[in-house]
Amino acid sequence: MIVLDSISKKFGEKIILSQASHTFRDGEIASITAPNGTGKTTLLSIISGLLLPDEGNVVYGSRNGCRGVNIVLSGERNLYIKNTVQENLLYLGAIRGMSRKDIEMRIRQYQKYFPIIGQISNSVIEKLSYGQKRLMAIFSAVISDADCVLLDEVTEGLDMEYIRMLRELLTNISENKVILLASHDYDFVAGISQSVVFFKEGKLIEQRGHFNLEELKEKYMQIYGLEGIRKDAEGDILGNKDGY
């Protein structure tokens, strides 16, 4: 469990979070969805400990604190591109305190969801496609056995088959973890989430229960209106999924 207690954050004069409070529960996949620039990436960075709030606290249910959180940011910033897939998995597991035996055991345990991992194990990261790099970054977070896995723009660069694999993996590992997604892929969000969190004026609004795609779109329109859709479209055109 992760509890946000009155979190506030500003960049210059722009207020991103304003006394925001929320509880993310173990065993539940939660998704954050909001227009571009609203603060999804900022929130994930604060939860992971990469960024400090101006006010408030993040309370971790795990004794490992923020060390029990593993974040996968959008883009290609999560891996060592001159090393192989296998070397990345071993190193990223080792720096989280895992033994080689435990890392290899978890690779075998979860590889059934991503069979491609075995096929590209000896490939250098920079030679992989963008989608394969994203899949690798997500897989490295999963095998770390973190208490909380944060995935920013979770389906970015993934084709339909990779998205199917990812949905199956996240569903199967979520029982004892906090799984928190930030995404503009509303079809994926609707299909996998038990709760959806919206931003509104620096606050977090939770909607619990399963949404189908049309229900999610309707709720999004109710909260953000046409202005929210315009910001999403601008972000796609500019290639800037979330400025904050």
Side-chain angles (χ1 to χ4, degrees):
M1 181 173 70
I2 291 179
V3 179
L4 307 182
D5 182 13
S6 301
I7 299 292
S8 294
K9 186 67 181 179
K10 291 198 306 182
F11 291 111
E13 296 301 313
K14 184 175 179 63
I15 297 173
I16 306 299
L17 294 163
S18 177
Q19 297 291 305
S21 296
H22 195 76
T23 298
F24 295 102
R25 299 165 178 82
D26 293 344
E28 185 173 79
I29 299 175
S31 293
I32 304 171
T33 184
N36 284 297
T38 309
K40 298 185 293 297
T41 300
T42 297
L43 178 60
L44 294 187
S45 297
I46 289 174
I47 293 172
S48 71
L50 292 176
L51 188 66
L52 295 176
D54 297 330
E55 297 178 8
N57 297 290
V58 181
V59 181
Y60 303 92
S62 166
R63 66 179 183 275
N64 294 317
C66 66
R67 291 180 300 171
V69 178
N70 203 326
I71 183 170
V72 177
L73 297 168
S74 63
E76 302 179 71
R77 296 169 283 178
N78 305 282
L79 300 168
Y80 295 89
I81 64 171
K82 297 297 184 180
N83 296 96
T84 67
V85 167
Q86 181 77 358
E87 289 167 344
N88 268 269
L89 293 175
L90 291 173
Y91 178 71
L92 294 171
I95 62 176
R96 296 188 66 84
M98 299 175 68
S99 68
R100 185 183 182 109
K101 181 179 178 180
D102 284 342
I103 297 168
E104 291 175 344
M105 179 193 71
R106 294 194 181 282
I107 291 173
R108 291 192 299 271
Q109 179 181 356
Y110 295 118
Q111 190 172 311
K112 63 184 178 182
Y113 300 111
F114 288 167
I116 191 175
I117 298 299
Q119 301 167 21
I120 62 175
S121 178
N122 295 317
S123 300
V124 176
I125 294 295
E126 66 180 353
K127 301 296 185 182
L128 302 181
S129 70
Y130 184 80
Q132 289 172 336
K133 292 174 186 175
R134 289 292 294 164
L135 210 60
M136 269 303 309
I138 294 169
F139 190 76
S140 70
V142 168
I143 68 165
S144 72
D145 199 34
D147 302 307
C148 177
V149 177
L150 312 178
L151 302 175
D152 192 15
E153 294 301 343
V154 57
T155 60
E156 181 183 33
L158 301 184
D159 63 24
M160 291 180 64
E161 180 60 13
Y162 285 170
I163 290 173
R164 182 196 64 77
M165 293 178 185
L166 179 60
R167 181 182 290 111
E168 183 178 359
L169 174 65
L170 294 179
T171 300
N172 278 278
I173 69 168
S174 64
E175 183 176 352
N176 298 309
K177 300 180 186 295
V178 175
I179 305 291
L180 182 54
L181 318 176
S183 182
H184 286 89
D185 184 344
Y186 303 123
D187 189 34
F188 188 81
V189 167
I192 199 170
S193 306
Q194 284 91 45
S195 67
V196 179
V197 179
F198 299 94
F199 277 91
K200 184 70 171 181
E201 298 175 351
K203 307 291 186 183
L204 302 179
I205 308 166
E206 182 183 39
Q207 301 290 325
R208 297 182 63 78
H210 177 75
F211 283 88
N212 64 41
L213 181 57
E214 291 307 313
E215 290 169 338
L216 183 60
K217 287 180 177 179
E218 182 179 351
K219 179 60 66 174
Y220 190 93
M221 178 64 80
Q222 289 174 2
I223 295 173
Y224 303 113
L226 293 175
E227 179 66 12
I229 294 174
R230 182 188 65 78
K231 288 182 179 179
D232 280 345
E234 287 179 352
D236 289 340
I237 291 170
L238 296 174
N240 177 19
K241 291 293 184 182
D242 194 343
Y244 295 93

